[in-house]
């Protein structure tokens, strides 16, 4: 069974075009959300929807893809790009429970500290009087070191 015979890309959604499972009606979107990604089974093997969509578009299997906008359910063609694990980790959101609403910024005494970590190396950017200035400094450094894979605050 070849995936291309049974599935098609319709505006970033993986649609069943020919019967292959009694759980997936023809014409319906394939998979379910699991851990933030859409996943499905085909011929006994588990797949991530975005990797199959990329395969259908390019004819190549890629181990790691990055969602440019950070939305793991937005699998449109312009939102997926090939990446290394390191590049993919640069495009992440601020962690829950952080002292700041901004990525790369944390409370430091009565000021705000900006820092960035790339490949397990943390670089101190500076200490600022307000949270927004620290976030802008982080953004500037993130673009410098991560380029197009940088996730910025503004």
């Amino acid at each position: 069974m070849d995936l291309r015979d049974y599935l098609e890309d319709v505006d970033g959604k993986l649609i069943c075009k020919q019967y292959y499972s009694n759980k997936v009606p023809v014409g319906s979107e394939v998979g379910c959300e699991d851990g933030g990604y859409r996943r499905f089974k085909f011929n006994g093997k588990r797949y991530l929807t975005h990797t199959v969509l990329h395969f259908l578009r390019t004819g190549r299997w890629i181990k790691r893809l990055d969602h440019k906008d950070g939305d793991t359910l937005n699998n449109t063609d312009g939102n997926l790009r090939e990446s290394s694990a390191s590049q993919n980790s640069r495009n992440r959101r601020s962690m829950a429970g952080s002292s700041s609403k901004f990525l790369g910024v944390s409370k430091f005494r009565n000021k705000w500290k900006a820092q960035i970590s790339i490949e397990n190396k943390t670089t101190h950017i500076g200490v600022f009087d307000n949270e927004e200035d620290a976030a802008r400094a982080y953004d500037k450094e993130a673009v410098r070191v991560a380029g197009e894979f940088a996730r910025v605050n503004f």
Side-chain angles (χ1 to χ4, degrees):
M1 291 176 65
D2 188 331
L3 285 166
R4 292 172 284 209
D5 295 333
Y6 295 87
L7 305 171
E8 65 183 332
D9 176 6
V10 178
D11 299 323
K13 297 191 183 310
L14 195 57
I15 303 298
C16 177
K17 66 180 185 179
Q18 182 178 325
Y19 174 85
Y20 75 91
S21 167
N22 61 1
K23 295 179 182 179
V24 184
V26 172
S28 67
E29 186 173 9
V30 173
C32 60
E33 189 178 341
D34 177 22
Y37 294 90
R38 279 191 81 80
R39 302 171 194 268
F40 70 100
K41 268 185 155 179
F42 182 85
N43 205 23
K45 185 174 177 189
R46 292 179 53 112
Y47 292 92
L48 289 166
T49 300
H50 64 282
T51 59
V52 173
L53 286 165
H54 187 268
F55 169 72
L56 292 175
R57 294 171 188 149
T58 66
R60 296 176 324 178
W61 287 107
I62 302 298
K63 184 176 182 180
R64 189 168 312 276
L65 293 169
D66 178 56
H67 292 81
K68 291 179 188 177
D69 68 1
D71 179 356
T72 57
L73 299 176
N74 177 3
N75 296 316
T76 55
D77 193 25
N79 193 46
L80 297 177
R81 60 184 167 192
E82 296 177 26
S83 69
S84 66
S86 176
Q87 289 169 324
N88 197 14
S89 71
R90 294 176 196 159
N91 187 16
R92 70 190 192 305
R93 298 185 192 282
S94 182
M95 295 182 71
S98 174
S99 60
S100 172
K101 62 185 174 188
F102 296 112
L103 185 62
V105 177
S106 59
K107 193 82 166 149
F108 180 71
R109 299 185 181 148
N110 287 325
K111 296 190 180 236
W112 295 94
K113 175 175 65 173
Q115 63 185 29
I116 189 167
S117 296
I118 301 286
E119 296 177 7
N120 295 322
K121 182 180 177 216
T122 301
T123 302
H124 175 74
I125 299 167
V127 177
F128 302 85
D129 289 329
N130 67 62
E131 192 177 13
E132 289 79 15
D133 287 347
R136 289 186 199 290
Y138 170 86
D139 287 355
K140 185 176 178 181
E141 183 66 7
V143 169
R144 187 185 75 75
V145 298
E148 71 171 301
F149 289 92
R151 173 163 301 269
V152 294
N153 295 299
F154 298 103

